[in-house]
């Protein structure tokens, strides 16, 4: 009977710190001006019951950090006064959910709230308060009093004192109302879900506490909550939503871990505080990385450079629901990170284990805050996640639950076939060999473990390898597909038929080892986070100029920080990718057919093939109007932002005109289309091309091109040149009266419509965009009028006359 207690939202920790994090002591962190009475005589007035009259002989008790009691239908906490004022992390999770709840991305184990709390006493009331560390100052400084005055701790719940224990060292409170009332601070139903499902009220007669247990460092509670709802996600006739909520209250370390200052040149999840006690002439915002507390068992050996085991390793338990055949791959995915921690000086720093059986430990639970788990979720959702819970005082990660959704296997099976099938015989089936799919799952788990260790996505990692190197078996088997597994470089779609022995699936790379060393290596001889800065900066400087150690988040303007890309030449990589995709398209029906089955798999894979094609096009599209971003500090040479070279942008537009805006006959396979739909090919292609056209004619992209021309003159690829070359490509048939097929007519209409939208959006600003778009519309109109009379086809004439009239209406309205 071991589980979790109460929880609250981390996303808005709104409080103050009672003392500086590095000097914090237990008593100093307690709520100021709160009388904590321990005098026996003052506690024994007539308003309090005798302990034996509250905690009767019928009590079922469990001792731990608190003693928890069940007396018939009443639940009590017996809280020692020694725990008052201590920081406790309260986490709320959903342990059981109804079908369809949350739209597929909420599951058993999903965290809904997280917050630091403290217990305190005011007169005859026990208070549970929410504590924030957003604003701090050392308690020895005068400004500390202002921090307290301007960051009052909100009260979550107030409790009546029921009794004191026999030696007056602890207070007894009833917690039924905390868990059986609709307390938004610890609810499993978010405000958006309440609106979505039209939740009316909590049904108390159908809500109850299932379990309550106490451990040396945490208290665990599970309670069933039933809500009346007009539009529940499933079982609509019941008009209710029932879910089991898991609450964990975890004692945070008395002395917080020494934090490590964040540097944006190395990617980390972070937390921030405003230090009002800083000597800086401002409210000094300090950002710290989130990481596990790893301390060497033998500090002297560690200082000598020997590999040393940590005092407390990071341990992940496999969900008992994990299918046996996947367990070895999940374990490997976790322990792949051991090599990275060895670079940081730690041996066996991260370990994966199977969860104990009920016979081995009947009290083990994945919701227990002491355990980090890999949850295996039975759902149709196609995803995986690696969230974690951290101490807001220091960034110390306390625990994490990695989530694998069962149907994610399907995503990787499909993408493996589509992106590698042309050159990889093992991928040409829906029944991917177990070793192959297992390797993919291993690397997904490794990716999610990276998140749980504190690493965000590094989308620049794929750009660090030469594109042609990905066709080399020697290179890919040693270095993988990208410098980091934290990129979205899932498969090697560059390798061509005949490229033997190449690696097809991603793996950990040099950046991962570098980042783990940067974040986890213990720096000796320092007393504060500021003292570490010189060493941390040197570690970055030592790697300067090596693309493998760059970090970049996804953004809408940097072609070197894109998702799903491979290699440092998007044009070459997408050319290779499209070449492979054409081979796959020819064979897709054969590779997805199962005797006796309908064409559902073909339909699904064909839809995903179109998405892959669109991604390849998008990587090239991003070059036009693109800007490279490379984080730098003032002591480094070079600039942070630099425009893409003119000739590369011109080549990108040539690629798009040649491969994206032409009619994709290779996609229009009769044996596919005639087996999956009665019609729809025109709409599919129009949607794909329209999406790329919209991306190319983004207002932000166009503004960057105008600014580039203003700053760099002839060295810039001008917006007028891009618009002119785009027009010549899309309307190329008009110059020699070639047939304009239905797909191209759709694209030409879409081109005019997109230009019209630019005119409308720019109507107030009247920038160079409006002026250049007007020129383009007139050129299109002129060419359409001139060509209309040369076509013998009534349909061609009608199309061009319609374009003429459409442009007229746009310009008239303008």
């Amino acid at each position: 009977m071991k589980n979790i207690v109460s929880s609250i939202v981390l996303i808005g920790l709104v409080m103050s710190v009672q003392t500086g994090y590095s000097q914090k002591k237990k008593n100093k962190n307690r709520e100021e001006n709160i009388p904590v009475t321990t005098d026996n005589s003052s506690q024994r007035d007539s308003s309090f019951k005798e302990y034996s009259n509250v905690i009767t002989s019928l009590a079922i008790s469990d001792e731990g950090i608190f003693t928890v009691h069940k007396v018939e239908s009443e639940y009590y906490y017996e809280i020692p006064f020694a725990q008052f004022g201590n920081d406790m992390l309260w986490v709320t999770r959903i342990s059981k959910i109804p079908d369809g709840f949350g739209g597929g991305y909420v599951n058993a184990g999903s965290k809904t709230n997280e917050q630091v709390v403290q217990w305190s006493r005011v007169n005859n009331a026990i208070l549970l308060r929410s504590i924030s560390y957003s604003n701090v100052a050392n308690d020895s400084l005068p400004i500390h009093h202002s921090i307290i005055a301007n960051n009052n701790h909100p009260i979550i719940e107030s409790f009546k004192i029921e009794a004191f224990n026999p030696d007056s060292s602890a207070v007894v409170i009833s917690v039924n109302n905390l868990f059986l009332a609709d307390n938004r601070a610890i609810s499993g139903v978010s405000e958006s879900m309440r609106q979505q499902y039209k939740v009316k009220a909590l049904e108390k007669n159908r809500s109850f506490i299932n379990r309550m247990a106490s451990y040396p460092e945490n208290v665990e509670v599970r309670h069933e909550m039933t809500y009346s709802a007009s539009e529940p996600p499933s079982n609509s006739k019941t008009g209710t939503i029932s879910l089991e909520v898991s609450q964990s209250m975890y004692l945070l370390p008395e002395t917080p871990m020494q934090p490590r200052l964040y540097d944006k040149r190395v990617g980390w999840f972070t937390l921030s505080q405003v230090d009002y006690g800083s000597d800086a002439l401002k409210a000094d915002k300090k950002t710290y990385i989130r990481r596990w507390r790893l301390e060497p068992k033998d500090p002297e050996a560690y200082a000598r450079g020997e590999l040393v085991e940590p005092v407390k390793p990071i341990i992940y338990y496999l969900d008992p629901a994990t299918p046996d055949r996947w367990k070895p791959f999940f374990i490997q995915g976790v322990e792949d990170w051991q090599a990275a921690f060895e670079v940081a000086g730690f041996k066996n720093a991260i370990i994966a284990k199977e969860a104990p059986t009920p016979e081995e430990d009947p009290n083990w639970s994945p919701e227990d805050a002491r355990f980090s788990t890999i949850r295996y979720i039975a759902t149709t959702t196609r995803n995986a996640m690696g969230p974690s819970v951290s101490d807001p005082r220091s960034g110390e990660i306390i625990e994490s639950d990695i989530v694998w959704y069962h149907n994610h296997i399907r995503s990787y099976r499909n993408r493996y076939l589509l992106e590698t099938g042309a050159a990889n015989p093992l991928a040409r089936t829906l029944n991917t060999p177990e070793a192959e799919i297992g390797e993919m799952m291993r690397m997904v788990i490794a990716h999610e473990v990276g998140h749980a260790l504190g690493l965000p996505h590094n989308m620049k990692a794929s750009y660090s390898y030469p594109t042609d190197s990905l066709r080399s078996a020697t290179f890919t088997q040693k270095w993988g597909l990208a410098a980091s597994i934290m990129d979205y470089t899932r498969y090697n779609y560059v390798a061509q038929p005949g490229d033997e022995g190449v690696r097809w699936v991603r793996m950990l790379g040099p950046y991962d080892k570098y980042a783990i060393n940067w974040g986890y290596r213990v720096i000796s001889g320092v007393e504060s986070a500021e003292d570490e800065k010189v060493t941390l900066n040197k570690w970055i400087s030592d790697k300067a100029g090596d693309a493998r150690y760059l970090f970049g988040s996804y953004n809408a303007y940097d072609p070197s920080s894109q998702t799903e890309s491979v290699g440092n030449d998007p044009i070459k990589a997408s050319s290779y990718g499209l070449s492979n995709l054409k081979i796959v398209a020819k064979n897709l029906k054969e590779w997805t057919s199962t005797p006796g089955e309908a064409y559902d798999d073909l339909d699904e894979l064909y839809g995903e093939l179109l998405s892959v094609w669109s991604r390849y096009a998008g990587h090239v599209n991003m070059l036009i109007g693109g800007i490279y971003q490379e984080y730098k500090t003032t002591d480094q040479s070079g600039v942070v932002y630099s425009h893409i070279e003119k000739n590369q942008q011109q080549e990108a537009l040539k690629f798009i005109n040649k491969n994206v805006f032409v009619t994709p006959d290779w996609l229009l396979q009769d044996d596919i289309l005639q087996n999956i739909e009665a019609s729809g090919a025109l709409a599919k292609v129009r949607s794909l091309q329209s999406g790329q056209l919209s991306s190319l004619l983004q207002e932000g992209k166009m503004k960057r091109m105008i600014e580039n021309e203003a700053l760099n003159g002839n060295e810039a690829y001008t917006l007028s040149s891009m618009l002119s070359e785009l027009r010549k490509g899309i309307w190329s048939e008009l110059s020699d009266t070639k047939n304009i097929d239905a797909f191209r007519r759709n694209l030409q209409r879409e081109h005019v419509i997109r230009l019209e939208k630019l005119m409308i959006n720019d109507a107030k600003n009247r920038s160079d965009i409006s002026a250049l778009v007007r020129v383009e519309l007139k050129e299109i109109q002129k060419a359409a009028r001139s060509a209309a009379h040369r076509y013998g086809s009534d349909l061609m004439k009608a199309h061009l006359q319609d374009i003429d009239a459409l442009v007229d209406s746009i310009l008239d309205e303008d």
Side-chain angles (χ1 to χ4, degrees):
M1 142 176 175
K2 304 279 183 187
N3 229 347
I4 296 186
V5 166
S6 300
S7 93
I8 290 189
V9 191
L10 168 64
I11 292 174
L13 295 173
V14 258
M15 268 305 312
S16 70
V17 179
Q18 304 298 320
T19 183
Y21 51 79
S22 62
Q23 305 297 323
K24 195 180 299 271
K25 299 299 181 184
K26 183 187 293 185
N27 293 333
K28 285 190 176 182
N29 191 40
R30 291 182 176 171
E31 183 75 38
E32 291 194 353
N33 303 319
I34 301 298
V36 179
T37 308
T38 58
D39 178 67
N40 190 46
S41 61
S42 67
Q43 294 177 349
R44 296 297 183 181
D45 66 44
S46 59
S47 64
F48 303 125
K49 299 175 184 177
E50 291 294 327
Y51 182 81
S52 59
N53 291 336
V54 178
I55 309 303
T56 69
S57 60
L58 298 176
I60 300 172
S61 303
D62 191 22
E63 294 183 1
I65 187 172
F66 303 162
T67 300
V68 297
H69 306 278
K70 179 184 179 186
V71 183
E72 297 182 339
S73 61
E74 289 292 321
Y75 288 83
Y76 298 93
Y77 280 179
E78 184 178 319
I79 309 173
F81 285 114
Q83 295 297 348
F84 278 38
N86 289 341
D87 288 327
M88 306 189 80
L89 190 65
W90 189 312
V91 182
T92 298
R93 287 189 175 87
I94 303 173
S95 50
K96 292 182 181 179
I97 64 169
D99 181 40
F101 186 79
Y105 286 93
V106 176
N107 52 265
S110 288
K111 181 180 68 176
T112 60
N113 294 313
E114 177 183 334
Q115 183 168 317
V116 173
V117 298
Q118 287 182 7
W119 296 96
S120 61
R121 179 185 175 189
V122 174
N123 301 321
N124 291 335
I126 302 302
L127 305 181
L128 179 65
R129 289 181 180 264
S130 170
I131 308 297
S132 167
Y133 286 87
S134 298
N135 302 302
V136 303
N138 193 287
D139 62 357
S140 65
L141 300 174
I143 199 171
H144 175 70
H145 300 291
S146 180
I147 292 287
I148 294 170
N150 289 284
N151 294 273
N152 192 37
H153 307 289
I155 298 172
I156 300 164
E157 191 74 58
S158 176
F159 303 86
K160 172 188 173 184
I161 296 175
E162 302 292 338
F164 296 90
N165 71 340
D167 66 0
S168 298
S169 64
V171 65
V172 177
I173 61 172
S174 171
V175 293
N176 277 45
N177 194 57
L178 177 64
F179 299 114
L180 297 181
D182 191 13
N183 192 323
R184 301 298 178 97
I186 60 171
S187 174
V189 184
S190 67
E191 295 302 318
S192 62
M193 289 179 184
R194 289 172 188 266
Q195 295 178 17
Q196 179 182 354
Y197 302 131
K198 293 183 169 50
V199 172
K200 301 175 183 177
L202 178 70
E203 300 291 333
K204 289 190 176 182
N205 63 332
R206 288 182 283 173
S207 301
F208 47 90
I209 296 172
N210 293 335
R211 301 172 61 187
M212 188 174 290
S214 188
Y215 301 90
E217 295 182 338
N218 56 302
V219 179
E220 308 288 333
V221 174
R222 283 195 187 189
H223 54 115
E224 187 92 12
M225 306 296 281
T226 298
Y227 298 87
S228 59
S230 300
E231 298 181 9
S234 56
N235 300 306
S236 58
K237 291 182 179 180
T238 66
T240 61
I241 297 172
S242 292
L243 63 160
E244 185 182 68
V245 182
S246 169
Q247 310 284 1
S248 294
M249 183 183 288
Y250 188 95
L251 181 65
L252 289 173
E254 181 177 341
T255 302
M257 177 186 73
Q258 179 169 289
R260 179 156 292 180
L261 285 164
Y262 170 63
D263 189 310
K264 66 172 60 177
R265 294 172 293 175
V266 188
W268 284 87
F269 291 128
T270 63
L271 59 85
S272 296
Q273 299 174 340
V274 177
D275 184 359
Y276 287 92
S278 168
D279 291 332
L281 300 179
K282 61 180 180 179
D284 195 4
K285 180 179 178 181
K286 293 181 178 178
T287 303
Y288 303 109
I289 68 173
R290 296 175 58 195
R291 56 182 181 150
W292 297 79
R293 186 189 294 227
L294 288 185
E295 299 167 332
K297 282 183 178 179
D298 186 341
E300 293 181 359
Y302 186 89
R304 292 194 300 268
E306 299 176 24
L307 286 180
V308 175
E309 291 188 343
V311 173
K312 185 179 180 181
I314 303 165
I315 300 176
Y316 280 95
Y317 292 90
L318 301 190
D319 190 329
T322 308
D324 289 339
R325 63 175 175 159
W326 304 132
K327 288 179 180 178
F329 298 106
F330 280 23
I331 290 172
Q332 283 180 299
V334 174
E335 296 187 351
D336 279 340
W337 285 94
Q338 287 186 358
F341 280 106
E342 287 176 1
V343 176
F346 291 103
K347 179 173 62 176
N348 298 324
I350 184 166
I351 300 166
K353 297 180 178 181
E354 291 193 39
T357 64
E359 292 75 24
E360 293 169 332
D361 184 353
N363 296 317
W364 190 91
S365 169
E367 274 78 44
D368 189 330
R370 296 176 300 166
F371 305 125
S372 295
T373 60
I374 300 176
R375 304 295 296 266
Y376 198 99
I377 307 301
T379 174
T380 57
T381 301
R382 294 160 66 168
N383 199 13
M385 298 188 299
S388 62
V389 173
S390 61
D391 183 344
R393 304 171 304 173
S394 64
E396 178 184 355
I397 296 174
I398 303 300
E399 63 90 34
S400 78
D401 286 327
I402 292 166
V403 181
W404 172 274
Y405 297 93
H406 175 75
N407 207 34
H408 206 30
I409 298 173
R410 185 176 191 163
S411 299
Y412 279 82
R413 177 201 69 176
N414 292 0
R415 292 278 297 276
Y416 191 54
L417 185 154
L418 295 171
E419 295 187 34
T420 76
N424 177 13
L426 292 174
R428 298 168 187 168
T429 175
L430 293 178
N431 298 310
T432 312
E434 184 171 305
E436 300 297 305
I437 200 73
E439 177 69 3
M440 298 173 218
M441 296 173 77
R442 169 188 175 183
M443 294 306 162
V444 176
I445 293 297
H447 177 93
E448 302 306 336
V449 169
H451 286 320
L453 295 175
L455 303 181
H457 291 132
N458 180 7
M459 297 308 180
K460 200 175 281 287
S462 56
Y463 215 75
S464 61
Y465 290 167
T467 299
D468 278 325
S469 294
L470 300 172
R471 299 185 60 185
S472 163
T474 303
F475 183 90
T476 56
Q477 293 298 342
K478 180 178 180 180
W479 297 105
L481 312 185
S484 173
I485 199 167
M486 304 314 297
D487 202 327
Y488 271 172
T489 302
R490 292 181 172 91
Y491 296 114
N492 185 350
Y493 61 76
V494 161
Q496 298 294 290
D499 293 343
E500 300 292 337
V502 296
R503 183 173 178 84
W504 301 109
V505 181
R506 60 182 169 175
M507 68 183 205
L508 270 73
Y511 172 85
D512 301 313
K513 296 177 181 179
Y514 160 72
I516 290 296
N517 180 74
W518 192 92
Y520 282 95
R521 177 168 286 279
V522 176
I523 301 174
S524 60
V526 297
E527 296 183 357
S528 69
E530 284 75 11
D531 292 342
E532 295 184 334
K533 288 182 68 174
V534 173
T535 299
L536 294 172
N537 186 62
K538 183 179 185 303
W539 288 347
I540 297 173
S541 299
D542 288 346
K543 303 296 185 183
D546 192 330
R548 294 175 298 175
Y549 303 105
L550 294 178
F551 170 76
S553 303
Y554 169 80
N555 61 52
Y557 54 81
D558 185 351
S560 70
S561 293
Q562 300 307 301
T563 65
E564 316 287 349
S565 60
V566 180
N568 66 353
D569 186 338
I571 298 173
K572 182 178 287 187
S574 291
S575 296
Y576 283 137
L578 283 176
S579 177
N580 283 337
L581 211 55
K582 290 176 182 179
I583 296 172
V584 171
K586 290 179 182 178
N587 295 280
L588 193 61
K589 179 175 178 290
E590 177 187 347
W591 293 350
T592 60
S593 295
T594 303
E597 299 289 339
Y599 288 102
D600 293 348
D601 287 322
L602 177 63
D603 190 6
E604 178 181 318
L605 268 291
Y606 183 69
E608 292 190 27
L609 183 146
L610 299 181
S611 297
V612 172
W613 175 87
S614 184
R615 281 196 293 272
Y616 294 167
H619 295 154
V620 178
N621 201 324
M622 191 62 65
L623 288 167
I624 300 169
I627 296 176
Y628 291 127
Q629 179 186 55
E630 182 179 339
Y631 297 125
K632 292 179 180 291
T633 52
T634 55
D635 56 321
Q636 290 181 293
S637 60
V639 297
V640 175
Y641 301 102
S642 55
H643 290 272
I644 308 300
E645 295 80 1
K646 177 179 180 179
N647 64 335
Q648 194 173 16
Q649 294 190 57
Q650 290 174 319
E651 290 301 312
L653 187 58
K654 288 179 182 177
F655 174 94
I656 290 172
N657 273 329
K658 179 180 178 181
N659 296 285
V660 179
F661 292 152
V662 297
T663 299
D665 294 324
W666 62 275
L667 280 175
L668 307 174
Q669 305 283 331
D670 288 342
D671 64 346
I672 296 177
L673 297 176
Q674 293 175 3
N675 285 307
I676 64 172
E677 59 189 0
S679 63
L682 275 169
K684 281 185 171 67
V685 173
R686 180 169 186 165
S687 177
L688 290 169
Q689 293 182 330
S690 173
Q692 294 303 318
L693 188 60
S694 177
S695 178
L696 189 59
L697 297 178
Q698 282 180 346
E699 187 176 359
K701 183 191 291 277
M702 300 174 83
K703 286 180 177 178
R704 290 194 298 272
M705 297 182 76
I706 292 170
E707 183 171 308
N708 188 19
E709 181 180 3
L711 295 174
N712 297 303
N714 292 333
E715 294 182 7
Y717 184 41
T718 65
L719 179 57
S720 60
S721 296
M722 186 273 279
L723 291 173
S724 175
E725 290 168 19
L726 175 64
R727 168 175 44 82
K728 292 174 183 177
I730 291 178
W731 300 88
S732 61
E733 294 92 340
L734 303 190
S735 60
D736 50 8
T737 324
K738 289 182 179 178
N739 178 58
I740 311 172
D741 66 36
F743 299 94
R744 290 281 285 182
R745 294 197 298 273
N746 273 344
L747 175 63
Q748 290 172 354
R749 292 187 193 99
E750 195 65 33
H751 185 206
V752 174
I753 291 169
R754 294 291 167 180
L755 293 176
E756 177 187 19
K757 289 182 178 179
L758 285 170
M759 293 282 286
I760 293 171
N761 293 340
D762 199 50
K764 291 183 179 180
N765 297 327
R766 302 303 296 181
S767 72
D768 288 341
I769 293 176
S770 296
L772 293 172
V773 167
R774 177 182 290 275
V775 169
E776 289 304 306
L777 286 168
K778 287 187 174 182
E779 288 295 326
I780 291 169
Q781 184 180 52
K782 177 181 176 182
R785 284 178 177 175
S786 175
H789 72 277
R790 299 199 303 269
Y791 279 93
S793 166
D794 290 340
L795 181 56
M796 297 300 119
K797 288 181 179 179
H799 167 63
L800 295 175
Q801 289 169 355
D802 183 59
I803 293 295
D804 184 3
L806 179 58
V807 173
D808 259 344
S809 67
I810 294 169
L811 296 179
D812 285 346
E813 289 180 8
D814 183 61

